[in-house]
Amino acid sequence: MDQPERADQRVGTVRLPYSTEYPVEWEADVVLRDGSTTHVRPIRPEDADALQRFQMAQSERSTYLRFFAALQRIPDRMLTQLVTVDHVSRAALVAVRPGSAPEADAADRAEDLAGDVAEDIIGVARYDVIDDRPGRRTAEVAFNVADALQGQGLGSVLLEHIAAAARERGVHRFIAEVLPQNRAMLGVFREAGYAVEQHLDDGVVTVSVDLDPTDRSREVMADREHRTEARSMQGLLSARRVLLVGPSQGGTADELLAARVREAHAAGPGDTELLVLGDDVTWADLGNGGLGDNGSGENAQVDLAVVAAPPDEVIDTVRRLRGTGARGVVVLSAGWAEAGPDGVARRRELLRTAHAEGMRVVGPASYGLLTNVPGASLRASLALTAPKPGRVGLFSQSSPVAVTAAETVKRRGLGLSTLVSAGHRADVSGNDVMQYWQDDPHTDVACLYLETLGNPRKFSRIARRLAQVKPVIVVVAGRHGSVVPPGHTVRATRAPRRMLDEVLRQSGVIRAENTHQLMDVAQVLAHQPLPTGGRVGILASSPSLAALVADAVAAAGLTVVGPPDPLSAGAPDDEIAAAADALYAPGACDAVVVVSVPVVLPRTDAIARAVAEAAARTGRTTVVSALGLHGMPDELASGDVRIPAFSTPEDAVWALGAVVRYAQWRTQDHGTPVRPALREGMSDGAARAQARTLVESLLTQEPAGAVLDQATATELLACYGLTLWGSRSVRTASDAVTAAEELGWPVALKIAAPALRHRADLGGVRLDIADAEDLREDAERMLAAAASLLPAPDPVLEVQAMAPTGVACVVRSVEDELFGPVVSFGLAGDAVDLLDDVTHGVPPLTDADVARMVRGVRAAPRLFGYQGAPAADVAALEDVLARVSVMAEDLPELASLELYPVAVAERGAAVLHATIRLRPAERRTDAPRRALPG
């Protein structure tokens, strides 16, 4: 057969910078439609036997639809060709699961599963490049999914992964030939959301797929990701039969953990059946199916395993769970990534083993899982007593925080729907739980305690989607999220320390500083309606308390309605009722703060009763701080309505302010993704292809990275509709005059060195030069200044046609290892830089995000006619920022970009200089494909 083409072959005038080495980064664990998991990886030559077995197991119909012919067995030459790829011009991915020898019987099963088992292929996707022209690389694509897995979403997963791999190799379009009766495959292409064209010719449908992501393809991918990950979590949290694997006696840490699970189950089993390995069942029982099904009608003996054991034994347990129906394993014990590189390797092996067996992993160092679903409550944790049922879902990475939070919930009488402790979150994370909560009818408020964000882009995307329907309250360990506890593996970041704040704000979540604040906000959201505005009425038991509350309300950004009318000490019931009626009158306010602290007389419940009745009657958001009341007391209940009570007035007002801001965010227009038309006279796809070809060419010439000159920067920016203002580099005064004649008068003159090009105070800039004589004098003066200020000889000047006068701004982008592309905006100037008056955003951005970035800097009034100056063309500035965000999103090779200055005049925004640095791309945390951690 023909040998695969080398990846470094010449294609037109471009040498492709791709390696033929096995692309381990293409490996991924994925969740299927039923919530189970499988492994996707590039094909290997040693997969020939597995591929042949896969083909021979396929039905005649599936074989015909794939090869257009009856092909029970793949010929040897063809088989060799199918498994021999170069991962560039010819690539293939296979979905695999552990195989089993057909002759193995039940008696040998437990022993066999503890060892290595060959993999079975359950799906294949491949592409072969048929057009290598730069910017137009096209590949033929084909899929084949095992009959038993068809309808489980594996085809759409393989399309996402092979498309992502192809884009990394410069392929822009897929072509597929499909028989008309292959409706399933046609549906995979049609429903993926890409731009698709198809036509029928000679009884075959030719499908053409543009691989550039579209708003629709992103939406489809997010919807599928949501459904599969929610289903996966549903499988864990709906478990009824739980298997405990761990030592039964002794004093080691694992033995204590296992004993605690048994003790907790005995104290309150809920609706869970706990089976203890060694006491209730053996591996032989499970291997022989001696337990029967789990009572749910499914062919499963156990639903979930809880394991307290050393790492090697945990991995062995996961292998042995194969075929039992277990959908996940909760790992209570530690000793993994926090133990060093060997522990990290063991954790990878755990994930690979579990995902290959179709299971999710909770932990290690997990506190366990709890649910309070009526009639189907789950108890699989170390908690001796569970909080009462409620509407709050709680996720915690830290086990100690899970203990503290659960006890706080019980003390406040708040109630939980779900408690998930992810420990070191090797697999199941807050992202998975948020996916589940979005559709969970038992959860109204989502609370998360996060030690680290392993995938901030995905977190932002999922949290923003959830926050639009349910409030999300988040505590992040460390003020800036920079604390990485032992056991967590997180990419390094060079993003500004306040970048996490920007991600959370962009997501619409409520940021709490600690678990105390988290519970304060949760008890308002769980039991009170969202306020319709920020006007606050105050009912206080003394003038000093009223003044204190009014000051706290103003500090929270809310408005006090009218002067507070304090109640007198020992006021009669009718006076209290009248004050409450006035405060809760229609339109009187949007929310009420009640503070009652008797000084001499004992506390009565008159104020509590009056306020509870009025709040229940009117639906007005209410918070209370009263001596002796805390959490959700019966004294503040009326019918189904309960008013939260706080330890201090400041706590009550802070929580109310957070809820008001969230309610306002819910009603705001969050905009639409910015998608400006790119290069004039060219389709967006062609413009992106042109940019991609240019980047590939540059990195081929300079594999370690490249800093673009102004001509190349102009070409790259033009692909995204950004025009770089023309300039000329010169070394003499005479050359400067010649350049000015070409560009047109008046001109600006700058010293080209980065340290001086923006420093008018150091003589690095001269503006509005109108004739040759002045230009010669200025050039000679600047050359002399540059020679004295710069260490390098032979200074270079830059001549540029004068742009319209305007406000000088700076737009930057940097590719961060953790956050991905980070776009920044600020006004130019030393004061702005020194004060760090800059806003940030993580693409993809909406038009509302862009507008917020422009208006979010403290110096923004200069753009809107400050002190009588003409207003700048903010729309043109926002267009520049939007195009930079799209460019940064498209090009992970864009290590950094700086447009400085961008002169924003009354009409238009001129980009006067650009500094662009490229480097080889690394896979982003939120790559354009569905994948689990690992």
Side-chain angles (χ1 to χ4, degrees):
M1 56 168 269
D2 294 336
Q3 292 297 316
E5 296 170 335
R6 289 180 53 81
D8 61 355
Q9 65 182 320
R10 286 200 172 274
V11 180
T13 58
V14 179
R15 185 178 294 273
L16 298 175
Y18 309 121
S19 170
T20 57
E21 296 293 325
Y22 178 85
V24 67
E25 67 275 9
W26 288 359
E27 293 200 16
D29 295 330
V30 299
V31 183
L32 301 182
R33 188 171 294 160
D34 63 354
S36 66
T37 58
T38 192
H39 187 66
V40 174
R41 61 167 173 79
I43 203 166
R44 301 165 180 155
E46 55 267 32
D47 289 323
D49 290 343
L51 186 61
Q52 189 70 273
R53 292 198 307 270
F54 167 77
Q55 176 61 31
M56 294 177 67
Q58 289 291 80
S59 66
E60 184 178 344
R61 172 180 169 79
S62 294
T63 298
Y64 182 75
L65 293 179
R66 167 62 180 92
F67 294 103
F68 298 4
L71 191 68
Q72 181 180 7
R73 182 181 180 88
I74 304 173
D76 289 345
R77 180 180 178 185
M78 182 179 180
L79 182 63
T80 302
Q81 184 178 17
L82 290 176
V83 298
T84 305
V85 296
D86 62 5
H87 311 297
V88 179
S89 61
R90 183 160 56 243
L93 301 177
V94 291
V96 295
R97 280 181 174 169
S100 58
E103 64 274 10
D105 57 24
D108 299 327
R109 183 178 178 280
E111 181 178 353
D112 290 344
L113 291 178
D116 293 332
V117 182
E119 289 179 325
D120 282 342
I121 292 174
I122 58 175
V124 186
R126 65 179 300 112
Y127 76 75
D128 294 86
V129 172
I130 57 177
D131 185 346
D132 255 352
R133 286 174 291 178
R136 300 178 61 179
R137 297 196 86 209
T138 301
E140 186 174 11
V141 67
F143 300 86
N144 201 359
V145 175
D147 290 346
L149 271 294
Q150 291 179 14
Q152 290 298 323
L154 182 55
S156 63
V157 167
L158 287 172
L159 174 58
E160 287 179 19
H161 283 250
I162 198 70
R167 281 194 297 267
E168 290 181 15
R169 296 306 194 237
V171 175
H172 306 286
R173 180 173 291 273
F174 276 164
I175 298 291
E177 293 186 345
V178 184
L179 292 174
Q181 59 266 44
N182 195 351
R183 296 185 182 89
M185 188 51 57
L186 290 172
V188 167
F189 289 120
R190 187 168 51 249
E191 297 166 10
Y194 296 109
V196 176
E197 300 175 358
Q198 64 182 57
H199 66 272
L200 181 65
D201 187 19
D202 289 336
V204 175
V205 179
T206 300
V207 182
S208 176
V209 183
D210 188 338
L211 295 185
D212 278 332
T214 65
D215 289 342
R216 176 59 182 156
S217 70
R218 292 184 179 96
E219 181 183 346
V220 167
M221 197 179 304
D223 285 342
R224 288 172 172 168
E225 176 188 66
H226 164 68
R227 290 194 300 270
T228 56
E229 292 179 356
R231 181 69 62 84
S232 178
M233 289 305 303
Q234 173 69 26
L236 301 180
L237 296 173
S238 63
R240 295 295 164 266
R241 184 179 283 172
V242 177
L243 177 69
L244 173 62
V245 182
S248 59
Q249 58 185 355
T252 67
D254 291 333
E255 291 161 346
L256 292 173
L257 290 172
R260 180 61 176 263
V261 173
R262 291 194 293 271
E263 183 182 359
H265 186 265
D271 300 299
T272 306
E273 178 185 2
L274 182 68
L275 302 175
V276 179
L277 186 71
D279 292 351
D280 303 318
V281 296
T282 65
W283 285 120
D285 295 331
L286 296 171
N288 288 312
L291 297 180
D293 68 37
N294 61 359
S296 65
E298 300 175 354
N299 184 23
Q301 300 172 68
V302 297
D303 302 312
L304 183 70
V306 177
V307 185
D312 290 341
E313 294 182 24
V314 174
I315 297 170
D316 180 65
T317 296
V318 172
R319 292 193 182 101
R320 290 174 175 268
L321 286 168
R322 184 181 180 206
T324 64
R327 295 188 287 263
V329 55
V330 178
V331 182
L332 304 178
S333 47
W336 299 80
E338 73 274 22
D342 290 342
V344 173
R346 285 194 296 268
R347 193 178 82 168
R348 289 197 185 103
E349 185 181 359
L350 169 65
L351 293 186
R352 174 65 193 277
T353 304
H355 292 162
E357 300 290 358
M359 290 182 282
R360 301 297 304 272
V361 176
V362 182
S366 170
Y367 188 63
L369 306 177
L370 290 171
T371 67
N372 281 320
V373 177
S377 58
L378 169 66
R379 301 290 181 264
S381 83
L382 300 170
L384 289 178
T385 58
K388 70 177 185 179
R391 310 298 298 177
V392 176
L394 178 62
F395 170 86
S396 174
Q397 289 176 1
S398 165
S399 290
V401 172
V403 175
T404 302
E407 290 302 314
T408 301
V409 165
K410 287 188 286 187
R411 187 170 61 251
R412 295 194 185 204
L414 188 54
L416 284 183
S417 64
T418 317
L419 170 62
V420 176
S421 167
H424 298 164
R425 61 131 184 83
D427 180 11
V428 169
S429 69
N431 292 339
D432 296 284
V433 182
M434 285 192 293
Q435 300 277 37
Y436 168 77
W437 280 334
Q438 181 173 330
D439 302 321
D440 178 27
H442 306 289
T443 301
D444 293 334
V445 182
C447 297
L448 299 97
Y449 180 89
L450 306 176
E451 293 180 303
T452 54
L453 271 73
N455 191 340
R457 286 164 59 83
K458 183 174 181 178
F459 171 86
S460 177
R461 173 166 49 80
I462 295 174
R464 186 168 189 160
R465 181 171 177 162
L466 176 59
Q468 290 173 351
V469 294
K470 296 179 182 180
V472 181
I473 317 166
V474 175
V475 176
V476 181
R479 181 64 186 86
H480 302 285
S482 55
V483 176
V484 181
H488 291 249
T489 52
V490 182
R491 292 187 180 195
T493 177
R494 296 183 180 180
R497 291 181 66 84
R498 70 172 188 270
M499 193 64 231
L500 179 63
D501 294 332
E502 295 287 348
V503 168
L504 296 179
R505 186 217 56 76
Q506 193 171 318
S507 305
V509 307
I510 300 171
R511 174 79 180 269
E513 297 298 328
N514 47 53
T515 54
H516 176 79
Q517 286 187 349
L518 180 137
M519 293 301 169
D520 281 349
V521 178
Q523 64 185 26
V524 178
L525 290 166
H527 292 280
Q528 291 291 293
L530 289 178
T532 56
R535 300 177 306 129
V536 177
I538 299 173
L539 182 64
S541 60
S542 74
S544 59
L545 282 177
L548 176 69
V549 174
D551 184 68
V553 167
L558 308 177
T559 303
V560 177
V561 178
D565 187 14
L567 293 168
S568 58
D573 288 358
D574 58 346
E575 182 179 332
I576 293 173
D581 288 343
L583 201 58
Y584 285 89
C589 59
D590 302 311
V592 174
V593 178
V594 179
V595 182
S596 176
V597 182
V599 178
V600 177
L601 298 175
R603 191 198 82 200
T604 69
D605 293 333
I607 293 178
R609 283 196 305 271
V611 169
E613 292 172 0
R617 183 178 69 252
T618 63
R620 191 77 48 80
T621 310
T622 304
V623 295
V624 171
S625 178
L627 185 66
L629 299 181
H630 186 67
M632 310 304 302
D634 292 337
E635 293 87 340
L636 288 170
S638 178
D640 295 332
V641 175
R642 284 184 176 268
I643 299 175
F646 296 83
S647 301
T648 70
E650 291 84 355
D651 287 346
V653 172
W654 185 91
L656 178 62
V659 171
V660 168
R661 288 188 292 274
Y662 167 71
Q664 292 170 340
W665 180 87
R666 278 270 292 263
T667 60
Q668 290 172 356
D669 177 12
H670 301 300
T672 57
V674 290
R675 297 284 182 264
L678 301 183
R679 192 161 196 169
E680 187 175 356
M682 184 180 292
S683 70
D684 288 352
R688 286 186 165 94
Q690 190 176 68
R692 168 65 54 196
T693 301
L694 178 59
V695 168
E696 291 171 355
S697 175
L698 292 168
L699 288 178
T700 300
Q701 298 167 25
E702 299 186 55
V707 177
L708 275 56
D709 57 38
Q710 290 299 286
T712 310
T714 299
E715 185 179 355
L716 182 59
L717 291 171
C719 295
Y720 287 88
L722 291 164
T723 302
L724 188 58
W725 206 258
S727 64
R728 300 286 189 276
S729 295
V730 299
R731 296 182 182 276
T732 68
S734 297
D735 290 343
V737 172
T738 301
E741 296 289 350
E742 295 174 357
L743 293 168
W745 302 93
V747 296
L749 186 65
K750 308 171 187 179
I751 298 176
L756 295 175
R757 65 174 302 107
H758 305 300
R759 298 298 303 269
D761 57 329
L762 296 179
V765 181
R766 294 285 189 274
L767 301 178
D768 209 18
I769 305 172
D771 58 49
E773 183 178 353
D774 288 344
L775 180 57
R776 282 195 178 89
E777 293 177 2
D778 288 336
E780 290 170 355
R781 206 163 27 239
M782 292 176 71
L783 287 168
S788 64
L789 293 172
L790 297 174
D794 198 15
V796 178
L797 303 182
E798 187 176 287
V799 180
Q800 191 170 49
M802 278 295 298
T805 302
V807 180
C809 300
V810 185
V811 176
R812 295 185 175 99
S813 173
V814 64
E815 182 74 17
D816 184 73
E817 187 175 350
L818 178 63
F819 289 93
V822 176
V823 177
S824 306
F825 168 77
L827 272 66
D830 287 349
V832 172
D833 291 338
L834 290 171
L835 296 173
D836 195 24
D837 186 17
V838 179
T839 55
H840 305 280
V842 177
L845 300 178
T846 67
D847 50 4
D849 293 330
V850 171
R852 178 205 58 82
M853 289 182 64
V854 170
R855 291 158 180 78
V857 295
R858 294 189 296 275
R862 289 183 56 197
L863 295 165
F864 296 93
Y866 180 66
Q867 291 189 345
D873 190 345
V874 174
L877 173 60
E878 291 176 350
D879 181 68
V880 171
L881 191 55
R883 292 175 185 278
V884 169
S885 75
V886 172
M887 182 177 178
E889 175 77 1
D890 283 353
L891 302 176
E893 299 88 351
L894 191 65
S896 64
L897 174 148
E898 181 183 80
L899 306 183
Y900 181 20
V902 178
V904 189
E906 290 183 73
R907 296 185 62 183
V911 180
L912 302 184
H913 187 266
T915 302
I916 299 176
R917 184 168 64 89
L918 303 178
R919 70 179 178 197
E922 295 184 2
R923 185 179 294 276
R924 289 170 173 166
T925 56
D926 193 24
R929 58 172 194 166
R930 286 174 283 167
L932 293 174

